[in-house]
Amino acid sequence: MPRWKALPESMDPRIRRLVVELRRLKDHSGLSMAALASRTGFSKSSWERYLNGRVTPPRNAVETLADVCGGDRIGLAVLWEVATSVTTPGPAAPAPPEPEQPEQPEQPEPLRTPPAEEPGKPPADGEHTDPDPPDGGRTPLLARPVATVAGVAVVVGALAVLAAVAVAITWPGSPSAEPESASAAATTKVPTSTYSAETFPCYFTLRRGLLYAGHSTTVTHTYHVGITVESVAEVQCLVRRHGFDPKGIDGSFGPNTRAAVERFQRSRGLTADGIVGPMTWRELRKPGG
């Protein structure tokens, strides 16, 4: 077992946990750095950087190490996601508020005294008078403060805005409106391990007499109906290569994939249970029919 260099004390505990687990798997397998590089496709210098904590390894390197060394692929993927979240930038800090300026006291407006009118003189054209002004005289309405009119205009504008918001909330086409029925919003849940199913390509390679499709190197893990993970795409690629169509390469082990696996198992004299285990992997990895 190699003597590993001590990891820096300043290393984040989440990254340290991932590196320690990768070291443990490598030591448990008994593989040298050169053998590990040969079986995973990642160079020896890359593994030295990964296992000494100088660089965070990519996800596919972590999953490939798990397959080669017999580790928990899903558990390592979770540790990798936690470790890589350390370096994800968070939201920018808000700018400090500007210092408030002291309010200046309002200057009182000078009182306006309407000009005195001669008794019995009628008002000029365009002027209107109150029937009973408080001062007993005839004060033109045009000389009164306009603050009351401006306040009324502000209140009316605010009411119009509130009415528009209420209409937007209750309008049927609004994004926040409820669906017409509960069945319209119902969705079918597919059990997944770490991500939703998607379409995967098949990249076939032959290494040491074994056939690979680019999504997993395992020969021991067990997969069955209800599992959605990238390694299932490896099963689908290989079973289709042998002439049994799973109706899609989406990483989801559904009824079509099970039917294709059962037909393949019967063609190889295996128990047709639709479960991919070590014996089925051994036949799937054979390059020839």
Side-chain angles (χ1 to χ4, degrees):
M1 182 178 297
R3 186 184 300 274
W4 296 105
K5 295 181 180 179
L7 297 174
E9 295 183 0
S10 59
M11 177 179 289
D12 189 279
R14 290 165 286 186
I15 301 177
R16 179 187 297 272
R17 182 178 178 185
L18 173 64
V19 175
V20 169
E21 183 62 19
L22 294 177
R23 287 180 172 183
R24 186 190 67 78
L25 274 178
K26 190 266 180 190
D27 292 342
H28 181 73
S29 68
L31 297 175
S32 64
M33 285 291 190
L36 187 63
S38 174
R39 295 195 181 188
T40 61
F42 293 86
S43 65
K44 177 181 176 181
S45 59
S46 295
W47 280 117
E48 289 176 348
R49 291 194 298 270
Y50 300 156
L51 297 176
N52 285 309
R54 295 197 296 269
V55 178
T56 302
R59 178 172 181 152
N60 57 343
V62 172
E63 293 178 340
T64 304
L65 178 67
D67 292 338
V68 170
C69 298
D72 182 4
R73 180 188 180 101
I74 296 176
L76 276 181
V78 172
L79 289 180
W80 178 88
E81 290 178 356
V82 173
T84 54
S85 67
V86 177
T87 57
T88 303
E98 297 181 357
E100 297 183 358
Q101 300 293 334
E103 297 183 357
Q104 298 295 333
E106 297 182 357
Q107 298 295 331
E109 295 184 358
L111 298 177
R112 298 179 180 179
T113 305
E117 296 182 358
E118 297 179 4
K121 182 180 178 181
D125 293 340
E127 291 186 353
H128 301 279
T129 60
D130 271 339
D132 296 311
D135 56 356
R138 296 185 178 183
T139 303
L141 290 178
L142 297 178
R144 297 211 176 166
V146 297
T148 303
V149 179
V152 172
V154 170
V155 172
V156 172
L159 291 176
V161 172
L162 292 175
V165 172
V167 171
I169 293 174
T170 58
W171 189 255
S174 172
S176 60
E178 296 182 356
E180 295 180 359
S181 64
S183 60
T187 56
T188 301
K189 299 294 184 180
V190 178
T192 60
S193 296
T194 57
Y195 55 83
S196 299
E198 58 181 272
T199 300
F200 294 92
C202 299
Y203 299 108
F204 294 102
T205 58
L206 191 63
R207 289 181 287 174
R208 297 186 179 181
L210 298 179
L211 186 63
Y212 297 92
H215 303 290
S216 175
T217 59
T218 183
V219 293
T220 58
H221 290 176
T222 301
Y223 298 102
H224 51 77
V225 171
I227 294 180
T228 299
V229 70
E230 186 177 352
S231 294
V232 174
E234 183 82 3
V235 174
Q236 293 169 328
C237 287
L238 293 176
V239 78
R240 189 175 69 178
R241 177 66 176 262
H242 288 290
F244 303 93
D245 188 6
K247 309 298 184 184
I249 311 297
D250 58 1
S252 179
F253 205 120
N256 292 329
T257 301
R258 175 176 180 173
V261 169
E262 289 176 348
R263 293 195 300 271
F264 172 77
Q265 289 171 330
R266 282 193 290 269
S267 71
R268 298 304 175 93
L270 302 175
T271 301
D273 55 4
I275 299 175
V276 177
M279 297 181 66
T280 303
W281 275 119
R282 185 169 54 200
E283 296 298 321
L284 286 173
R285 294 293 184 197
K286 292 181 179 180

